Amino acid sequence: MRKSEFDLQPSLIAHEGTQVRINFDVEEVEKEYPSMGGEETIKRKIWEAYVVRLDAPLTRSRIVDAIVTAGYPNDVMQAVQNNYLANPEDEDAKAEMDDMQAWRVKAKLVADEVMSAVSAE
């Protein structure tokens, strides 16, 4: 999953009509962009974040599902699982499985954070 770029630091939750945008793993970075003439580069600070959008109202399980699916669509998740099941000793398959499991844990943590923020609104 690729991070989105923002000119201003995004909040965890942004309401967009009937949808809610969740921004997580927000980080400030400095990037180089080509100048108008294209001969030089311009350094600029921006914010990057993973983004998922859901229809309101939010539930923890829907947030977890949206984040997990954004990082690992069903076909990719199935391939990771099958590669691991076919040969659990394979280092690449094990690394893929560990990465996927870490993403699932992250999704649950983000969902908990979002639900806390929603209840505070």
Side-chain angles (χ1 to χ4, degrees):
M1 181 176 183
R2 195 173 138 261
K3 285 190 166 185
S4 297
E5 296 181 358
F6 297 87
D7 290 328
L8 302 173
Q9 184 175 5
S11 59
L12 175 64
I13 302 167
H15 297 276
E16 300 176 330
T18 61
Q19 287 197 320
V20 178
R21 184 181 74 223
I22 299 170
N23 308 297
F24 62 101
D25 277 2
V26 177
E27 62 182 337
E28 184 178 9
V29 297
E30 190 172 276
K31 284 201 150 181
E32 290 187 8
Y33 295 92
S35 65
M36 293 296 280
E39 296 172 10
E40 298 177 12
T41 59
I42 299 168
K43 289 184 180 181
R44 212 174 101 205
K45 287 187 179 181
I46 62 165
W47 284 263
E48 293 182 334
Y50 291 119
V51 174
V52 293
R53 287 179 172 82
L54 292 98
D55 289 327
L58 298 178
T59 65
R60 182 180 186 276
S61 63
R62 289 182 57 229
I63 296 166
V64 170
D65 183 57
I67 293 171
V68 170
T69 304
Y72 289 87
N74 289 334
D75 59 334
V76 174
M77 183 177 286
Q78 188 175 24
V80 169
Q81 291 169 338
N82 287 340
N83 289 342
Y84 179 75
L85 290 172
N87 187 1
E89 303 303 317
D90 180 84
E91 290 300 318
D92 290 337
K94 184 176 180 343
E96 284 181 332
M97 179 62 85
D98 290 345
D99 289 347
M100 184 184 69
Q101 294 300 343
W103 186 255
R104 292 179 66 242
V105 168
K106 175 185 286 299
K108 293 172 185 177
L109 294 172
V110 171
D112 290 341
E113 186 179 357
V114 170
M115 294 309 294
S116 291
V118 166
S119 66
E121 286 183 340

